[in-house]
């Protein structure tokens, strides 16, 4: 009988290990860790992803994910439906909205061309925490 590792049984705090999706980066360039990605087709049995942005074309795909780690070009990596990330949140308040940026794969506190909330400020400071949950926040205009 196979054994079950404890990290698969415990509730997640920062990274939902059990919800990870193996994807293919077919963009031709590396995807950095904690970047926002969207589906861009298929590569064999895997989902192919590209960096997401707030342009009209970038938000027509409802499912957005967060890269768990850097994904080299033409390689496989893991994306998550949500992730707690470290980000400079000075001048913000807990619960402030975080928006998809016009810059591919990035997020910030100002709405991009198409306003899309993708997370919330969880703690304030130079090394504050932001809860990125782009698919869970689908349809939310501001908090």
């Amino acid at each position: 009988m196979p054994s079950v590792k404890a990290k698969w049984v415990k509730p997640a705090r920062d990274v939902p290990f059990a919800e990870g999706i193996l994807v293919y980066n077919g963009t031709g360039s590396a995807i950095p860790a904690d970047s926002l990605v969207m589906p861009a087709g298929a590569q064999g049995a895997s989902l192919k992803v590209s960096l997401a942005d707030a342009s009209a074309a970038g938000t027509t795909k409802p499912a957005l994910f967060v890269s768990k780690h850097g994904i080299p070009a033409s390689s496989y990596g893991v994306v998550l439906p949500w992730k707690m990330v470290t980000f400079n949140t000075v001048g913000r308040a807990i619960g402030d909205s975080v928006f998809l940026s016009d810059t591919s794969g990035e997020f910030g506190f100002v709405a991009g061309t198409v306003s899309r909330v993708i997370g919330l400020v969880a703690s304030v400071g130079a090394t504050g925490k932001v809860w990125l949950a782009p698919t869970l926040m689908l349809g939310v205009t501001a908090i």
Side-chain angles (χ1 to χ4, degrees):
M1 176 191 288
S3 62
V4 177
K5 295 183 179 180
K7 73 177 181 182
W8 299 107
V9 178
K10 296 178 184 177
R13 290 183 185 196
D14 294 334
V15 177
F17 288 103
E19 297 178 43
I21 303 167
L22 185 64
V23 298
Y24 180 78
N25 174 8
T27 63
S29 59
I31 293 176
D34 303 334
S35 292
L36 296 164
V37 298
M38 64 183 189
Q43 175 72 23
S46 293
L47 184 66
K48 186 189 291 187
V49 295
S50 65
L51 291 170
D53 62 53
S55 68
T59 57
T60 58
K61 311 248 195 254
L64 295 180
F65 303 96
V66 183
S67 58
K68 179 177 180 267
H69 49 75
I71 307 172
S74 304
S75 296
Y76 290 88
V78 176
V79 297
L80 305 164
W82 66 267
K83 184 177 180 187
M84 191 74 77
V85 300
T86 302
F87 194 71
N88 184 347
T89 57
V90 171
R92 303 294 163 186
I94 293 174
D96 279 359
S97 297
V98 177
F99 297 92
L100 179 60
S101 171
D102 280 342
T103 306
S104 293
E106 295 184 11
F107 54 91
F109 302 111
V110 177
T113 302
V114 176
S115 179
R116 181 160 178 185
V117 176
I118 50 88
L120 301 170
V121 173
S123 70
V124 177
T127 57
K129 294 285 186 178
V130 168
W131 180 55
L132 294 179
T135 301
L136 298 175
M137 297 285 177
L138 188 60
V140 175
T141 54
I143 297 186

